[in-house]
């Protein structure tokens, strides 16, 4: 299995192909993927490159860290530990918090309005 690298501060115009070409200078690239926004499809300015082995991954970090790509200095480092811990945990927490508070607020508002105007006003009219 290859060694995965995180590549940050990429220009938004960079593509999977251009990322692969840049890293091919340091060794055999198994995969290169720019992360895009799932709604707009636009680049988020970072990606991942998988090198064939540790030695080539280290060579890529040494050769390309802080180097200029399309006018921007890129960041290159090992991705595994950071992404699994912080990335996964942070994302889960965010989605639970968002749906929980959003749903709660919605129900409260809807129930309060319905009870106040519909039930109160309508009930009296029918009884008399």
């Amino acid at each position: 299995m290859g060694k995965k690298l995180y590549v940050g501060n990429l220009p938004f115009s960079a593509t999977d192909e251009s990322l692969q070409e840049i890293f091919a200078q340091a060794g055999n690239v198994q995969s290169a993927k720019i992360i895009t926004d799932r709604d707009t499809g636009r680049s988020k300015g970072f990606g991942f490159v998988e090198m064939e082995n540790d030695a080539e991954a280290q060579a890529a970090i040494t050769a390309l860290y802080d180097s200029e790509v399309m006018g921007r200095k890129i960041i290159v480092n090992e991705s595994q530990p950071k992404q699994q811990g912080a990335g996964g945990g942070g994302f889960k927490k965010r989605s639970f918090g968002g749906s929980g508070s959003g749903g709660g607020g919605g129900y409260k508002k809807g129930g309060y309005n319905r009870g106040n105007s519909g039930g109160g006003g309508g009930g009296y009219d029918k009884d008399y």
Side-chain angles (χ1 to χ4, degrees), residues 36-85:
T36 54
D37 185 287
R38 95 176 146 206
D39 296 329
T40 63
R42 204 184 122 154
S43 165
K44 287 195 169 192
F46 70 94
F48 297 96
V49 175
E50 196 172 345
M51 301 300 286
E52 197 165 285
N53 55 46
D54 284 358
E56 290 185 356
Q58 283 306 320
I61 291 170
T62 306
L64 297 168
Y65 184 87
D66 212 28
S67 66
E68 206 167 284
V69 174
M70 297 182 217
R72 297 185 71 159
K73 284 187 180 242
I74 62 168
I75 296 162
V76 183
N77 52 38
E78 290 182 34
S79 77
Q80 273 335 56
K82 231 178 241 179
Q83 286 312 107
Q84 284 178 342

Side-chain angles (χ1 to χ4, degrees), residues 4-8 10-12 14-16 19 32-38 40-49 83:
K4 211 170 196 183
L5 300 176
Y6 164 84
V7 188
L10 287 166
F12 292 119
T15 62
D16 294 353
L19 193 59
K33 180 86 183 122
I34 303 258
I35 304 305
T36 54
D37 185 287
R38 95 176 146 206
T40 63
R42 204 184 122 154
S43 165
K44 287 195 169 192
F46 70 94
F48 297 96
V49 175
Q83 286 312 107

Side-chain angles (χ1 to χ4, degrees), residues 99-118:
S99 62
S101 64
Y107 284 126
K108 220 174 206 171
K109 252 184 217 164
Y112 180 80
N113 288 344
R114 245 182 250 125
N116 202 10
S117 58

